Every structure is written in structure tokens, then in C-alpha cells.
Amino acid sequence: DERRVIEHFARHPERTKLVGETTIGGKSYYAHFKARRTASSCLRCHGTPKTAPSSMVKRYGRLLGFNRNVGDVAALDTIAVPMEELHATIRGRTLRDLGFVGGMMVLWLLGMVFVLRRLVTRRLGSIANHFARATADDQLRLPAIETVRNDEIGMVARSYNVLADRIN
């Protein structure tokens, strides 16, 4: 599999990187390959065994690491992440994030219910109770509704008070 990547770089000398999904050892990976190409300064040691330091010849023998040309791929820097792990990580993070967003939405909805009950439902319920008490009483006098805020509900209460004054 590594040889296949090296051959790709050999066919495309203008490329220095290769990034994407690939198969290594029969498994799918997301990989980043960077070609390390032989530079002219490398030939002092890796050109021929005759020109190389004796320690290099001892280390690699007379075949390995020599007879390179400028631009040849000498090595690959490789980072490869198994796709299974990548997908598992993405799934886990997605579930975590969805749980967080879902929890925040529930809190937001509970807050909205609280605000609606406090600012609207309770006040309208108070006006409805006032009407119920006024119609249940046999006396003709309609009591005024206390108005606290200058909003739509307060306007309904003030309108009722005007009507009650006229009827009274």
C-alpha cells in the first residue's frame, strides 16, 4: 500500500501532499501523506556507495538508501486515522451535541412557559375571575379591575373599567 502511494508521487513529481480516504492493509483510513523528495544536498550521502560516508555503507549495505536522483521520493510522512474510529468519534460527538441542544431547547421552552404564565395567563385569569365574580353577584354595581401595566392586557382591563363606569 505504501509502495502504491510512492508510485503515485513518482508519476506526479509536482505533488508534495496526498490527502483523502485510502485502503491500507485491507482497512479504510483517512490519510495525509507528504513526500520527502531527494534534494541535491542529499546525494552527498545517498548518491552512490562510493561517495557515501563509510558509516552509511555499513549501516545500509551497498543497495539500500543509494542511487537516488534529485526529486525521487526518499520517504513518506504518513498520518492515517482508521475510518471506523473517525465515524465513531463523529457519531459520539453528534449525539453529545444533539443532547446538549435538546436540553437547551427544553430549558428555553420551560422558560417561555414560565414567562407566559407569569405575564399573560395569570393576568388574563385574574380578569376572567373578576368577570365571573361580577356576574355571579346579584348586585348591579360592577367593580373596577386594578390595572398595573400599560400593555394589551392592561388596555383590556381599562376598557372594562370604562364600560363598568358607564353601566354603573
Side-chain angles (χ1 to χ4, degrees), residues 23-128:
T23 303
I24 301 173
K27 288 187 177 183
S28 183
Y29 287 84
Y30 186 80
H32 184 280
F33 300 99
K34 181 178 179 187
R36 295 211 177 239
R37 297 188 182 273
T38 304
S40 58
S41 60
C42 301
L43 295 180
R44 185 172 46 105
C45 296
H46 294 281
T48 64
K50 291 179 189 175
T51 60
S54 60
S55 61
M56 292 280 294
V57 176
K58 268 188 189 176
R59 184 173 182 184
Y60 295 113
R62 295 185 107 15
L63 298 176
L64 297 176
F66 301 107
N67 302 313
R68 301 202 185 272
N69 297 314
V70 173
D72 286 352
V73 177
L76 285 178
D77 291 338
T78 304
I79 299 172
V81 178
M83 292 300 285
E84 287 178 17
E85 288 181 31
L86 195 60
H87 289 305
T89 300
I90 289 170
R91 270 193 304 276
R93 288 182 180 177
T94 300
L95 290 175
R96 181 196 68 199
D97 293 347
L98 284 174
F100 175 76
V101 169
M104 292 305 290
M105 287 181 72
V106 166
L107 286 176
W108 181 79
L109 286 172
L110 289 174
M112 291 305 297
V113 166
F114 174 77
V115 167
L116 281 172
R117 287 189 58 102
R118 181 148 177 91
L119 297 178
V120 177
T121 308
R122 189 167 61 169
R123 291 173 63 206
L124 286 175
S126 172
I127 292 173

Side-chain angles (χ1 to χ4, degrees), residues 1-12 15 18 20-29 31 33 73 76 78 80:
D1 294 323
E2 185 180 25
R3 186 174 308 280
R4 181 174 38 91
V5 176
I6 292 171
E7 288 169 359
H8 170 82
F9 283 119
R11 284 190 311 274
H12 301 283
R15 292 192 179 164
L18 181 62
E21 198 170 335
T22 189
T23 303
I24 301 173
K27 288 187 177 183
S28 183
Y29 287 84
F33 300 99
V73 177
L76 285 178
T78 304

